[in-house]
Amino acid sequence: MYRRLVILTSTFALALAACGEAEEDAELDIATTDGEAEAMTKDLEPGDFALLNPGPRIVGPQGPEVKTALSNEAGILADITSYVTCPATMTACDPANAPDGTIYTYVHTVYPGEDMDPASGAGDGPDDIDVEMATAFKMTAPAHGFTGAAGFSKDEAIAAAGEAVQVVITCDADGALIWTVNAGDGGDQWEDGEPLTFYWQSTLPPAGPARHYEIRADGVSGIGDGPYPGADSTARNACLAVNAQDAPQ
């Protein structure tokens, strides 16, 4: 039976992932037994963005942030602001001079229903498509170099969808990450203009903006750019390490 890595957190039971644990997660071995896979899954705890201690940001051609939109042929479903940081122990974040073993934190703040207007900045532009219920933020390509450390802003999730909110982080069969936002029975939803920040960590720096990020809202999807690592055959992806137990022998 195919079994995905599932990370479940609620506002009442949120496991915390310290930055220092990310380097250990990067050394995950491929699971060869059900027991090993179960133990590996337990090691991949979700983190609270508020408790991260981010270091300096990478400054790329677009500056320290990439601001763009998640859209489809009908219009813009959300805008998104992304950036990548190095560990706090570093004074500058330059991948060309970063030491071996550097862990890069990819951060994405998504604003459903907002139009990315350069004059107004993320989240302050006019509505393009009214979003009543955003349900997921995801990648459309493998999370190259994924260490197993990922999370979101607990405070923003509660502000957006109330105390009953649950965020489920899964890996798909190709090694991409999916954050599913379940608002519960409270009636509140993640909707127009409510920012929610997601993050994940990789052993690889960004190769440049790539059209590999997606929002799912009101039954449709919008896709857009964000910083993304290039493929590297020597870098592990914790999602694939967990999923490997289900590969044909």
Side-chain angles (χ1 to χ4, degrees), residues 106 142-145 202 204-208 210 227-233 235:
Y106 289 71
H144 304 304
S202 174
L204 300 173
Y228 214 83
D232 185 336
S233 60

Side-chain angles (χ1 to χ4, degrees), residues 57-245:
R57 300 183 184 186
I58 292 177
V59 180
Q62 300 182 38
E65 296 180 335
V66 176
K67 295 185 176 185
T68 186
L70 303 174
S71 64
N72 58 28
E73 63 278 1
I76 294 172
L77 281 174
D79 66 24
I80 178 173
T81 296
S82 305
Y83 58 90
V84 182
T85 72
C86 284
T89 54
M90 298 173 62
T91 57
C93 193
D94 179 3
N97 298 315
D100 292 341
T102 296
I103 300 297
Y104 300 92
T105 301
Y106 289 71
V107 181
H108 315 279
T109 302
V110 180
Y111 300 77
E114 296 295 334
D115 187 350
M116 177 54 71
D117 182 347
S120 61
D124 296 325
D127 288 351
D128 191 32
I129 296 178
D130 290 333
V131 171
E132 296 181 357
M133 184 171 64
T135 55
F137 174 65
K138 62 181 291 187
M139 301 175 181
T140 61
H144 304 304
F146 176 47
T147 66
F152 61 96
S153 170
K154 175 183 175 181
D155 290 340
E156 289 176 352
I158 294 172
E163 291 285 344
V165 66
Q166 291 183 328
V167 177
V168 180
I169 306 177
T170 58
C171 294
D172 73 11
D174 296 322
L177 285 163
I178 305 167
W179 291 259
T180 302
V181 180
N182 299 314
D185 298 327
D188 201 1
Q189 302 291 334
W190 180 32
E191 55 190 325
D192 270 1
E194 296 176 333
L196 187 47
T197 299
F198 308 90
Y199 77 89
W200 61 289
Q201 294 184 327
S202 174
T203 58
L204 300 173
R211 195 171 177 80
H212 290 331
Y213 294 100
E214 177 179 330
I215 188 173
R216 184 77 178 169
D218 295 340
V220 297
S221 296
I223 299 174
D225 292 341
Y228 214 83
D232 185 336
S233 60
T234 66
R236 295 177 179 176
N237 178 340
C239 283
L240 296 179
V242 172
N243 288 340
Q245 65 160 322

